[in-house]
């Protein structure tokens, strides 16, 4: 098919996102019933809600490129319409080339068309390959990429091994997981099977989802004597996303997996603590209330945001005119403060419900905590959440006090 003759064999329309215009399936044509999820019904997957995910990816890769200070190569092996790869090549400064691919023939043709439409044929190559096949072909020295972005349906785990092998030393791995039901503990067995860690249905399960995904990335990388360092992560809408820099060498791999461990949780008083090793620690009894505790893990206990990396992303965001720029600015400033704060967060409503008390404002509780010398910051994972070093029973005490005083 010559490019001039391209015509999608399904209803399609032009959309603008960031600095590009691309042809995508006309979603309205694929929604026959109100319950239909049009992005999956269309012959090529396209989800406008993921614009935020793509905007943030542009900021993260740009921040990475500025630090690397060289021209970078990117791979997006599950590209659908090509919108993400086209945006990478157009909007990120210092991109040498981008390789995009999809196993679906309709997606491959559409992505090729979108690359032509945006005048990118010199710098963006489109392939029609299985993602693991493509990435494995790039697992040798001089063939590897600076950045691999894995954005699949559901779990990214089937692609982690080949994606890590296709990254050069100090490369950046970006991974989306949309299988939140396993990661948040609704389907615990599936999570253990896929991610190698036990999830827990707690009020901070979104953070545990990020930590289970990062833990899986660290474990897979370690098998290849590669370590990871998580530079940024977020949970937005219906997915978890992790950005990690990889470092070659057994030492880096050992350092990576040294961040693995467990989160212990008491469902009675909401106390939580971490443990490196469940055998070395007596986990049965909650030290606060004496109830039996449960656990999540093994998962990543290390940092899930790098403060400097968040600041760099925020700086890049100031030069962008994304539809989501305001939302992203808030997310990044919250994440910057979260970077140095305690692991896990409390959700104010959860404590109030437990105590049968009216729900106070998050700001009131933040203030009381700070006035009493505790660290207390909001979290992007939940707008009613607070990260603090205050123990669970102290949180309950403050909540009682706020309600009594108002
Ligand atoms: C969630 S969509 C990608 C969305 C895209 N990254 C974006 O930002 O719009 C996942 C894509 O992976 C493709 N896919 C599924 N299995 C694949 C495989 N084994 N190899 C390559 N592509 C695959 C599907 O055809 C689909 O287009
Ligand atoms: Zn307890």
């Amino acid at each position: 098919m010559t490019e001039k003759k391209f015509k999608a064999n399904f209803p399609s329309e032009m959309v603008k996102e960031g600095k590009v215009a691309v042809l995508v399936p006309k979603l309205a044509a694929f929604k026959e019933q109100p319950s239909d999820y049009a992005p999956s019904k269309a012959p090529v997957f396209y989800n406008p809600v993921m614009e935020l995910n793509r905007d943030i990816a542009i900021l993260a890769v740009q921040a990475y490129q500025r630090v690397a200070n060289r021209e970078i190569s990117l791979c997006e092996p599950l590209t659908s319409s090509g919108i993400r790869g086209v945006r990478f090549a157009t909007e990120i400064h210092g991109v040498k080339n981008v390789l995009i691919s999809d196993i679906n023939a309709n997606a491959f043709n559409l992505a090729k068309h979108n690359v032509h439409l945006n005048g990118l044929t010199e710098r963006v190559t489109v392939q029609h390959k299985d993602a693991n096949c493509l990435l494995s072909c790039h697992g040798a020295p001089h063939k590897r990429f600076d950045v691999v972005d894995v954005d699949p349906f559901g779990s990214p785990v089937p692609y982690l091994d080949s994606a890590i092998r296709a990254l050069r030393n100090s490369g950046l791995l970006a991974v989306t997981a949309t299988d939140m039901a396993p990661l948040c503990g609704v389907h615990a067995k599936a999570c253990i099977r896929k991610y190698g860690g036990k999830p827990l249905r707690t009020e901070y399960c979104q953070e545990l989802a990020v930590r289970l995904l990062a833990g899986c990335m660290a474990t897979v990388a370690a098998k290849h004597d590669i370590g990871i360092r998580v530079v940024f992560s977020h949970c937005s809408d219906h997915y978890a996303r992790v950005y990690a820099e990889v470092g070659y060498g057994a030492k880096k791999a050992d350092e990576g997996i040294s961040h693995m461990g467990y989160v212990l949780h008491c469902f009675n008083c909401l106390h939580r603590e971490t443990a490196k090793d469940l055998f070395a620690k007596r986990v049965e009894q909650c030290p606060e209330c004496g109830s039996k505790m449960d656990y999540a893990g093994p998962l990543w206990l290390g940092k899930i945001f790098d403060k400097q990396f968040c600041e760099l992303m925020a700086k890049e965001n100031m030069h962008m005119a994304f539809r989501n720029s305001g939302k992203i600015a808030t997310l990044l400033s919250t994440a910057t403060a979260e970077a140095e704060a305690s692991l896990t967060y409390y959700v104010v409503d959860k404590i109030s419900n437990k105590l049968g008390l009216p729900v106070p404002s998050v700001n009131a509780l933040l203030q009381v905590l700070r006035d009493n010398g505790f660290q207390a910051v909001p979290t992007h994972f939940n707008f009613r959440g607070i990260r603090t070093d205050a123990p669970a029973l102290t949180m309950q005490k403050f909540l009682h006090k706020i309600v009594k005083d108002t």
Side-chain angles (χ1 to χ4, degrees):
M1 184 193 330
T2 65
E3 180 46 34
K4 273 183 198 144
K5 286 187 189 145
F6 180 85
K7 185 158 183 349
N9 56 359
F10 48 84
S12 52
E13 63 182 347
M14 289 296 295
V15 294
K16 283 187 176 173
E17 190 180 291
K19 289 188 180 154
V20 309
V22 288
L23 189 70
V24 296
K26 191 175 182 136
L27 294 180
F30 299 97
K31 198 171 170 72
E32 286 162 10
Q33 290 160 18
S35 61
D36 283 348
Y37 180 55
S40 296
K41 292 249 162 187
V44 177
F45 183 89
Y46 164 65
N47 187 355
V49 172
M50 292 301 255
E51 177 172 351
L52 179 80
N53 181 309
R54 292 184 282 267
D55 290 345
I56 293 174
I58 282 165
L59 298 177
V61 176
Q62 186 65 81
Y64 169 81
Q65 188 278 333
R66 300 264 190 234
V67 176
N69 196 22
R70 59 165 185 269
E71 286 214 300
I72 56 171
S73 59
L74 284 78
C75 178
E76 200 221 346
L78 304 118
T79 199
S80 309
S81 66
I83 187 169
R84 185 179 293 254
V86 164
R87 288 194 62 189
F88 283 166
T90 308
E91 297 176 39
I92 302 172
H93 165 86
V95 170
K96 192 165 44 186
N97 49 53
V98 182
L99 176 56
I100 60 177
S101 176
D102 203 287
I103 201 165
N104 170 333
N106 283 318
F108 165 70
N109 287 326
L110 186 61
K112 241 171 53 172
H113 176 62
N114 283 325
V115 168
H116 274 275
L117 267 183
N118 286 276
L120 294 167
T121 46
E122 297 282 300
R123 287 195 302 132
V124 181
T125 308
V126 190
Q127 295 205 356
H128 181 202
K129 283 208 172 127
D130 166 71
N132 278 322
C133 225
L134 177 83
L135 290 166
S136 293
C137 286
H138 285 265
H142 309 297
K143 294 204 164 182
R144 297 187 179 118
F145 303 100
D146 292 283
V147 178
V148 175
D149 189 327
V150 178
D151 183 49
F153 296 135
S155 172
V157 174
Y159 309 105
L160 286 184
D161 195 88
S162 59
I164 286 163
R165 286 190 284 113
L167 275 168
R168 63 181 280 183
N169 192 10
S170 305
L172 182 73
L173 178 60
V175 170
T176 311
T178 60
D179 54 337
M180 292 305 275
L183 283 167
C184 281
V186 180
H187 305 304
K189 276 187 183 166
C191 187
I192 295 166
R193 222 167 42 231
K194 288 180 197 296
Y195 293 89
K198 183 170 111 50
L200 212 50
R201 289 183 78 170
T202 60
E203 60 276 28
Y204 52 88
C205 67
Q206 284 88 354
E207 178 177 338
L208 293 180
V210 159
R211 293 186 179 281
L212 283 157
L213 173 57
C216 183
M217 290 160 74
T219 313
V220 172
K223 288 174 188 156
H224 299 286
D225 279 349
I226 293 175
I228 70 157
R229 185 174 73 88
V230 179
V231 289
F232 186 67
S233 61
H234 65 112
C235 250
S236 310
D237 304 311
H238 59 288
Y239 62 87
R241 177 98 166 146
V242 172
Y243 294 86
E245 212 178 286
V246 302
Y248 279 21
K251 248 184 158 173
K252 294 254 171 74
D254 288 344
E255 155 74 12
I257 51 170
S258 75
H259 293 292
M260 298 296 289
Y262 300 84
V263 171
L264 314 182
H265 182 85
C266 170
F267 280 97
N268 183 47
C269 73
L270 308 181
H271 165 75
R272 60 290 299 265
E273 61 188 66
T274 61
K276 284 291 198 192
D277 184 347
L278 286 185
F279 294 106
K281 190 158 181 130
R282 293 188 62 80
V283 297
E284 292 87 26
Q285 273 205 334
C286 169
E288 292 269 302
C289 73
S291 298
K292 190 174 185 306
M293 290 204 290
D294 203 344
Y295 73 93
L299 45 68
W300 179 260
L301 291 179
K303 285 199 179 303
I304 52 172
F305 319 97
D306 179 275
K307 191 166 180 277
Q308 273 186 330
F309 197 84
C310 292
E311 285 166 352
L312 275 175
M313 286 174 70
K315 201 168 142 199
E316 295 300 335
N317 188 42
M318 291 198 295
H319 308 303
M320 302 292 190
F322 297 144
R323 272 188 284 258
N324 291 309
S325 286
K327 195 172 174 182
I328 294 172
T330 308
L331 191 159
L332 289 172
S333 70
T334 312
T336 307
E338 282 186 83
E340 314 273 291
S342 310
L343 218 113
T344 78
Y345 49 88
Y346 295 94
V347 175
V348 178
D349 312 51
K350 175 86 185 176
I351 313 173
S352 300
N353 288 346
K354 227 172 212 317
L355 300 175
L357 293 174
V359 184
S361 79
V362 173
N363 281 339
L365 194 50
L366 281 169
Q367 198 52 54
V368 171
L369 284 162
R370 288 171 189 155
D371 290 348
N372 284 275
F374 291 102
Q375 172 203 64
V377 293
T379 171
H380 87 280
F381 284 112
N382 188 322
F383 73 105
R384 305 281 302 158
I386 295 178
R387 277 188 199 279
T388 177
D389 50 355
L393 294 184
T394 307
M395 291 295 281
Q396 294 189 10
K397 192 181 82 186
F398 288 148
L399 221 125
H400 272 293
K401 184 177 171 342
I402 293 170
V403 172
K404 205 175 115 226
D405 293 351
T406 47

